Amino acid sequence: MEFKLYGCLMAKLVYTEEELFRDRDDLTPQTIGGQRLHGGFDPDGGYHPPRSLVRNEAIAAWTEALRARGGELLDADASLLRGPSVPNVAQQCLLIREGLGQTFWNGLTTTGKIEGRGRMLAEVEFPDLQDLVVEDISQMAIGHLNGGLLKAHGWDEGGQPDLGIGGHDVMWFVARDLAFGEVDYPDIDPPGNIAREQDDRLMPDLPQAYEGLVSFLMNLLMIEFRAEIGFSNTQKILRTQDVFIGRRGEAEEAAEIIERIRTDEEIHVISLRLYLGELRNAHLKTVDGREVLGSEFIDPFWEGLVHWATVERPVLTAQQQYETIKARILEHPEGERILEAFDALSDLKKAA
Ligand SMILES: [Fe+2]
Ligand SMILES: [Fe+2]
C-alpha cells in the first residue's frame, strides 16, 4: 500500500473504514457444522482473519511511521505470561480422564462469553483522542480508533449476529461442543469484571474520560496478551491423545479453531501495542494546560498493571480455582485418590 510522490516512496497512513474492513475477494467463508464463522480460507487452504487484508498493511505502515518518529510499540513479551495456572494442562487432562470434564467445559464456556463481551468495542463511541493529543493524529492508528479499528476489533470478538456470522465467542462454543458432544453440565457465567479494579485515579492530570480510555486500552492489552496462556493450554489439552477418546477427530478440529482465534488475536495485540506506543510518543494535554510526554503517564501505569496481572492476581486466582476444583473432585466416589494425583501435578508448589 505505497504510492510514489515526487520520486520518493510515501506509505499510505490514512484509511477509510471500508478499507479497514476489507477482505480478500477469493476467500471461502469459515463454516463449521452449518454455523457461519468469521474469516475465510484462500485457494491454498490458508486461514485469513476477518477484515485483515488492509488492516494488517495499515498497522505495518503506522508502526513504520512511529519508528521513524523515534517511537516503538509498547513493550510486551513472554515475561507477561508468568504466574501459576490451576489447573495446568496435566491436571486438566487428569480431570477429563477421570470423568470430571466439567472444569474444562466451564473454562471453554466462560472464555467464549468473555470474548463475546468484546463486542462492546464495536458498539461504543470512544472519546476522540485528537482532543487529548497535541500532535495531529490523523495519520496515526489512534486517529482511526473510531474510524473502523475498534469496530473491527469488536466484531472479531463478538461477531456480527445480525448477519449470522459468529466471532470468537461462537468459535469457542463450537470448539467446546465438538470436543464434548452433548453434555448436561449447567450453563455458567464468567465473573463480572476481569480487568483491574481501581478506586483511585492513577492519572489525575489527564481529563477523566481520557484517563478512562488510556487505562482501558492498557487493561485490554494485558487481557489479550495473557489470554494466550489459556489458548495454548486449551490446544495442548485437546491434542492430548488419551483424552476425548472416541472423539479424537472432533477434538483435533476444535484445536484448529483455537489456532484460528490465536491468529486473529495477534492483530489485536499488535494493534494495542501500537496505539499505546503512539500515545507514549505523543504529547498529552493535562487538565492544567501543560503538554506532557505520554510515556510519563503510560509507563508507571503499565508497570503497576504488569505487577498486578503477573504476580498478585495469578496467585489469588489459582488459590480460588484450587478450592473450587477440590470441592468438585471430592464429590467423586474416588475423590481422595484423584485429589492426591491432582496435587502431585500442581504448579503451585513449584511457584512457591
Ligand atoms: Fe478474541
Ligand atoms: Fe482479542
Side-chain angles (χ1 to χ4, degrees):
M1 201 50 68
E2 289 175 326
F3 58 92
K4 284 195 172 180
L5 186 69
Y6 306 122
C8 57
L9 276 175
M10 299 270 294
K12 177 174 155 67
L13 296 170
V14 178
Y15 295 85
T16 64
E17 202 170 65
E18 183 277 322
E19 286 176 305
L20 293 171
F21 294 165
R22 205 177 289 165
D23 283 311
R24 277 170 58 144
D25 53 16
D26 62 347
L27 299 182
T28 306
Q30 180 184 199
T31 304
I32 298 175
Q35 169 66 57
R36 171 84 166 88
L37 301 167
H38 72 204
F41 301 93
D42 62 34
D44 296 326
Y47 173 73
H48 294 259
R51 299 166 280 277
S52 60
L53 177 64
V54 179
R55 196 162 39 141
N56 275 336
E57 290 176 14
I59 290 165
W62 288 318
T63 303
E64 198 62 31
L66 172 62
R67 287 184 177 141
R69 295 194 299 276
E72 191 42 86
L73 302 179
L74 183 76
D75 198 21
D77 62 34
S79 69
L80 296 181
L81 300 177
R82 64 184 186 264
S85 269
V86 175
N88 59 28
V89 172
Q91 288 177 315
Q92 195 72 271
C93 289
L94 167 81
L95 293 178
I96 298 168
R97 276 194 299 267
E98 296 285 358
L100 293 164
Q102 189 180 1
T103 300
F104 189 48
W105 191 93
N106 285 353
L108 300 175
T109 304
T110 52
T111 302
K113 290 189 180 186
I114 290 168
E115 293 261 27
R117 285 182 190 160
R119 189 162 201 288
M120 60 80 74
L121 289 168
E123 290 161 352
V124 172
E125 181 82 9
F126 288 85
D128 185 352
L129 280 167
Q130 188 60 80
D131 296 334
L132 174 73
V133 176
V134 176
E135 291 85 355
D136 175 11
I137 62 168
S138 62
Q139 301 196 45
M140 300 183 198
I142 51 171
H144 293 73
L145 294 185
N146 287 322
L149 287 177
L150 292 177
K151 209 178 268 181
H153 190 152
W155 287 339
D156 292 352
E157 308 292 17
Q160 295 170 283
D162 42 330
L163 301 179
I165 301 174
H168 289 168
D169 52 349
V170 180
M171 289 168 83
W172 281 99
F173 303 146
V174 167
R176 175 198 67 193
D177 295 344
L178 274 169
F180 278 91
E182 289 258 325
V183 290
D184 58 0
Y185 299 134
D187 195 20
I188 181 167
D189 283 313
N193 183 14
I194 57 165
R196 179 171 62 162
E197 308 254 6
Q198 63 186 67
D199 299 327
D200 302 327
R201 293 196 52 195
L202 297 178
M203 297 179 277
D205 287 341
L206 296 183
Q208 192 156 6
Y210 290 104
E211 171 179 3
L213 176 55
V214 174
S215 121
F216 171 80
L217 293 173
M218 281 190 265
N219 271 287
L220 186 57
L221 172 57
M222 185 60 78
I223 291 166
E224 296 262 6
F225 201 92
R226 285 185 58 86
E228 173 60 17
I229 305 170
F231 291 9
S232 65
N233 282 355
T234 299
Q235 285 186 304
K236 285 181 198 149
I237 294 157
L238 291 167
R239 288 175 172 154
T240 299
Q241 294 303 307
D242 64 349
V243 298
F244 299 111
I245 295 165
R247 300 188 68 83
R248 285 307 317 144
E250 289 89 342
E252 295 289 342
E253 188 177 4
E256 279 306 304
I257 296 172
I258 311 301
E259 185 65 31
R260 289 171 212 144
I261 297 176
R262 290 175 75 182
T263 307
D264 300 344
E265 299 293 8
E266 281 173 23
I267 302 177
H268 300 167
V269 167
I270 197 130
S271 299
L272 288 159
R273 293 179 60 201
L274 172 61
Y275 309 155
L276 291 161
E278 288 179 344
L279 283 166
R280 282 188 79 248
N281 191 243
H283 291 83
L284 309 184
K285 298 175 200 164
T286 65
V287 278
D288 58 0
R290 289 173 301 130
E291 296 178 353
V292 177
L293 197 61
S295 55
E296 304 268 333
F297 299 103
I298 290 173
D299 292 0
F301 186 101
W302 181 246
E303 205 177 299
L305 185 59
V306 167
H307 184 76
W308 174 80
T310 66
V311 180
E312 294 168 39
R313 185 168 186 264
V315 172
L316 226 108
T317 315
Q319 282 162 352
Q320 288 167 351
Q321 270 285 85
Y322 178 76
E323 293 306 324
T324 307
I325 295 168
K326 182 179 170 184
R328 204 172 285 146
I329 292 175
L330 290 176
E331 285 171 15
H332 190 284
E334 294 179 44
E336 296 289 346
R337 172 186 62 78
I338 299 169
L339 186 61
E340 200 175 312
F342 185 85
D343 288 343
L345 298 167
S346 175
D347 280 349
L348 290 176
K349 281 180 304 190
K350 287 173 235 159

